[in-house]
């Protein structure tokens, strides 16, 4: 107990004294839980109310990014090592943190050169935390060019009204986006932006990470660099490909309900990789056909996924046994294998690794099997919990590679090969 109090008096007490202007609610002695030695007081002194004269806001309730129509000139009250405490009127004190002063990196010594107690400055309300009763201010939001607060702060104060009005207008546009809970769309008014929809838009801004596009109905989407083309696009190329005010065509890739964001894509509209970099106008001309083909492909994949899920949900035939030989019909061929109907309502997966002892590529798979082919397979594994049946033909090969060289020979000798395989497994057990 004594060691904990001495630690507080040595380290915590001086820190608490520095924030005496923030209120008298900081405990003069540590708060200890019964049976513990750990100090459980407030983690930081600045968690106390920032208003040294009473309530959070007495005469006026400020909101986030709000700009006073009269733009009062607020006076600096106190300098601290991580920012400036500013009297913003209405009995409230705000914090202009060092990170919110300018876009350039500055150190605490720079704060003493830029501000003095009693200086009159202009700042924007950046954030309000009513639970912790804090008002966070910002001046870097008022900078026209990064670093203006360091180079010419008076210029920032002179243009503060115009910059603040533009900043608030952009924030109002962002806040106007509302999510439609009934569908995967971002609704604005009575219109909705749906996924995979083709839109014509106007470039609003070109950034190092991508392009902001106005796609109509007060909706803004972001076209990231990696979604512009199948070929890599660097920031320098983005600035050459797009210009503010240019008209382009984009597809809605994703709509984030929680973040109220719209992700756009143009590489899905390319017929050949790199068309957006070589000839973007050609991409825009053929955008309708490319978008329709893309949506059809997506719908086909979704239907395939649904059918596969339904087939897996079927109960496995209880009479089916492992290492049993079955005749089946190929139902579908994929890059990783094929699906075979082995009767009694059971469909198994013949994986590419279970076809032959020789290595088989995806191209070879398409040549070996076609939908409707009749083949013979052995039941390799049964997963009753996941309703899956794994099949094999390489267990029927007399010599490694027979399925690649002469699959009909494998089917003819399948009975003998299966019996020999079962005998080998039984002998191994």
């Amino acid at each position: 107990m004594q060691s904990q109090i001495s630690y507080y008096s040595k380290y915590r007490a001086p820190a608490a004294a520095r924030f005496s202007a923030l209120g008298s609610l900081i405990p003069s002695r540590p708060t200890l839980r019964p049976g513990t030695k750990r100090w459980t007081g407030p983690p930081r002194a600045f968690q106390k109310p920032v208003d040294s004269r009473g309530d959070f806001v007495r005469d006026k309730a400020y909101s986030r990014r709000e700009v006073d129509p009269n733009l009062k000139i607020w006076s600096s009250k106190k300098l601290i090592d991580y920012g400036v405490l500013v009297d913003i009127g209405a009995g409230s004190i705000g914090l202009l943190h060092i990170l919110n002063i300018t876009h350039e990196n500055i150190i605490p010594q720079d704060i003493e050169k830029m501000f003095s107690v009693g200086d009159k400055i202009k700042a924007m309300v950046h954030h309000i935390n009513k639970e912790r009763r804090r008002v966070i201010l910002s001046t870097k939001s008022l900078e026209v060019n990064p670093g203006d607060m360091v180079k010419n702060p008076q210029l920032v104060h002179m243009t503060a009204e115009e910059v603040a009005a533009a900043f608030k207008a952009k924030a109002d546009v962002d806040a106007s986006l509302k999510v439609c809970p009934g569908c995967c769309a971002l609704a604005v008014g009575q219109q909705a932006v749906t996924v995979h929809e083709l839109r014509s838009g106007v470039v609003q801004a070109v950034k190092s990470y991508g392009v902001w596009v106005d796609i109509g109905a007060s909706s803004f989407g972001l076209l990231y660099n990696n979604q512009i083309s199948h070929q890599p696009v660097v920031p320098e190329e983005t600035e050459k490909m797009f210009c503010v005010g240019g008209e382009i065509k984009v597809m809605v890739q994703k709509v984030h309900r929680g973040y109220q964001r719209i992700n756009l894509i143009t590489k899905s509209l390319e017929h050949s990789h790199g068309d957006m970099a070589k000839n973007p106008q050609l991409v825009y001309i053929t955008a309708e056909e490319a978008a329709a083909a893309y949506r059809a492909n997506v719908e086909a994949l979704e239907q395939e996924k649904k059918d596969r899920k339904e087939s897996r949900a079927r109960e496995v035939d209880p009479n089916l046994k492992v290492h049993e030989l079955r005749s089946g019909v190929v139902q579908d061929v994929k890059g990783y294998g094929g699906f075979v109907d082995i009767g009694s309502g059971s469909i198994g997966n013949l994986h590419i690794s279970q076809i032959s002892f020789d290595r088989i590529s995806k191209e070879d798979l398409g040549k070996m099997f076609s939908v409707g082919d009749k083949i013979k397979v052995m039941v390799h594994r049964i997963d009753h919990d996941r309703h899956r049946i794994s099949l094999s033909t390489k267990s029927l090969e007399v010599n490694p590679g027979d399925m690649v060289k002469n699959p009909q020979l494998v089917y003819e000798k399948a009975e003998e090969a299966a019996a020999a395989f079962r005998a080998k497994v039984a002998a191994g057990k």
Side-chain angles (χ1 to χ4, degrees):
M1 181 69 180
Q2 185 65 28
S3 62
Q4 295 297 323
I5 295 177
S6 61
Y7 168 80
Y8 176 79
S9 61
K10 183 176 180 181
Y11 297 102
R12 290 287 182 178
R18 290 188 299 173
F19 299 98
S20 58
L22 305 179
S24 59
L25 299 178
I26 300 173
S28 59
R29 58 182 299 175
T31 304
L32 296 176
R33 294 179 181 175
T36 64
K37 295 182 180 182
R38 185 172 62 87
W39 181 67
T40 60
R44 291 193 298 173
F46 195 69
Q47 287 187 350
K48 297 307 169 186
V50 298
D51 186 1
S52 62
R53 289 172 283 176
D55 297 335
F56 175 66
V57 173
R58 290 179 176 175
D59 303 328
K60 181 173 181 178
Y62 287 93
S63 62
R64 185 168 182 254
R65 293 197 181 100
E66 180 177 355
V67 181
D68 196 322
N70 299 322
L71 265 140
K72 290 182 179 179
I73 298 178
W74 301 323
S75 61
S76 171
K77 184 177 181 67
K78 186 177 180 180
L79 300 178
I80 47 182
D81 56 355
Y82 55 83
V84 182
L85 293 177
V86 182
D87 183 358
I88 59 176
S92 300
I93 295 177
L95 171 64
L96 178 59
H97 197 274
I98 187 173
L99 298 178
N100 291 323
I101 294 176
T102 179
H103 286 87
E104 289 189 356
N105 294 329
I106 58 176
I107 59 178
Q109 288 74 13
D110 296 332
I111 298 178
E112 299 176 358
K113 299 177 182 178
M114 297 173 62
F115 302 97
S116 300
V117 176
D119 287 349
K120 293 183 178 181
I121 63 173
K122 290 184 180 179
M124 180 185 293
V125 178
H126 176 66
H127 181 69
I128 289 180
N129 190 330
K130 293 186 178 181
E131 295 180 356
R132 303 172 73 176
R133 306 178 72 178
R134 290 186 181 181
V135 179
I136 307 299
L137 307 176
S138 172
T139 55
K140 77 175 182 180
S141 301
L142 303 177
E143 290 183 331
V144 178
N145 300 311
D148 282 349
M149 275 299 296
V150 179
K151 302 170 185 175
N152 192 353
Q154 293 301 325
L155 178 62
V156 176
H157 300 328
M158 290 172 58
T159 59
E161 296 186 18
E162 294 80 3
V163 177
F167 191 91
K168 188 174 185 297
K170 183 179 182 301
D172 292 341
V173 171
D174 294 341
S176 66
L177 299 177
K178 297 181 180 179
V179 176
C180 175
C183 61
C184 186
L186 196 65
V188 185
Q190 296 182 351
Q191 300 185 13
V193 180
T194 57
V195 177
H196 302 149
E197 177 186 2
L198 184 66
R199 284 264 180 158
S200 297
V202 179
V203 176
Q204 297 296 311
V206 181
K207 303 293 183 181
S208 60
Y209 52 84
V211 182
W212 287 98
V213 184
D214 182 359
I215 57 176
S218 299
S219 299
F220 294 85
L222 177 58
L223 175 62
Y224 280 104
N225 287 340
N226 61 349
Q227 299 299 332
I228 294 176
S229 175
H230 286 90
Q231 289 186 357
V233 177
V234 297
E236 291 76 11
E237 295 176 349
T238 305
E239 296 176 357
K240 296 178 182 178
M241 294 170 62
F242 302 95
C243 61
V244 177
E247 295 184 358
I248 63 174
K249 288 188 178 181
V250 292
M251 180 187 289
V252 179
Q253 181 195 28
K254 189 181 297 184
V255 177
H256 299 274
R257 294 190 180 94
Y259 294 102
Q260 296 188 354
R261 293 178 183 174
I262 302 174
N263 285 10
L264 306 176
I265 186 172
T266 56
K267 71 179 182 181
S268 300
L269 306 177
E270 292 182 330
H271 284 279
S272 302
H273 289 189
D275 281 350
M276 276 299 296
K278 301 172 186 175
N279 191 353
Q281 293 300 324
L282 178 62
V283 176
Y284 303 149
I285 293 173
T286 59
E288 295 286 347
E289 296 81 1
Y294 184 85
R295 286 191 292 268
N297 188 29
V298 171
E299 292 175 359
L301 291 176
E302 291 295 332
Q303 185 63 35
E304 179 185 336
K305 189 184 297 184
K306 183 179 178 180
D307 295 342
R308 191 185 307 157
K309 187 176 181 180
E310 291 177 354
S311 65
R312 289 175 179 174
R314 300 173 185 170
E315 292 292 337
V316 177
D317 183 8
N319 298 323
L320 191 65
K321 298 179 180 180
V322 178
H323 302 153
E324 180 182 354
L325 183 66
R326 286 276 185 131
S327 298
V329 179
V330 177
Q331 298 292 315
D332 198 1
V333 180
K334 301 296 179 184
Y336 53 85
F339 290 91
V340 183
D341 184 357
I342 56 176
S344 64
S346 300
I347 296 178
N349 178 25
L350 178 60
H351 196 266
I352 191 171
S353 62
Q354 292 295 328
I355 295 176
S356 175
F357 283 97
D358 281 0
R359 192 173 186 275
I360 299 176
S361 63
K362 296 180 180 179
E363 292 75 14
D364 297 335
L365 188 64
K367 298 176 182 178
M368 295 176 62
F369 299 100
S370 300
V371 177
D373 288 350
K374 295 182 179 181
I375 63 174
K376 289 186 178 181
V377 291
M378 178 184 288
V379 179
H380 178 63
R381 188 183 298 112
I382 300 176
D383 189 341
H384 291 278
D385 295 334
R386 302 172 69 181
H387 309 290
R388 292 185 179 181
I389 304 172
S390 297
L391 306 176
S392 175
T393 55
K394 76 176 183 180
S395 302
L396 304 177
E397 290 183 330
V398 178
N399 299 312
D402 283 348
M403 276 298 297
V404 179
K405 302 171 185 175
N406 192 354
Q408 293 300 325
L409 179 63
V410 176
Y411 303 150
E412 292 174 1
K413 298 183 178 180
E415 295 287 348
E416 297 82 355
F421 184 85
R422 287 192 290 268
K424 183 179 178 180
V425 170
K429 293 180 179 180

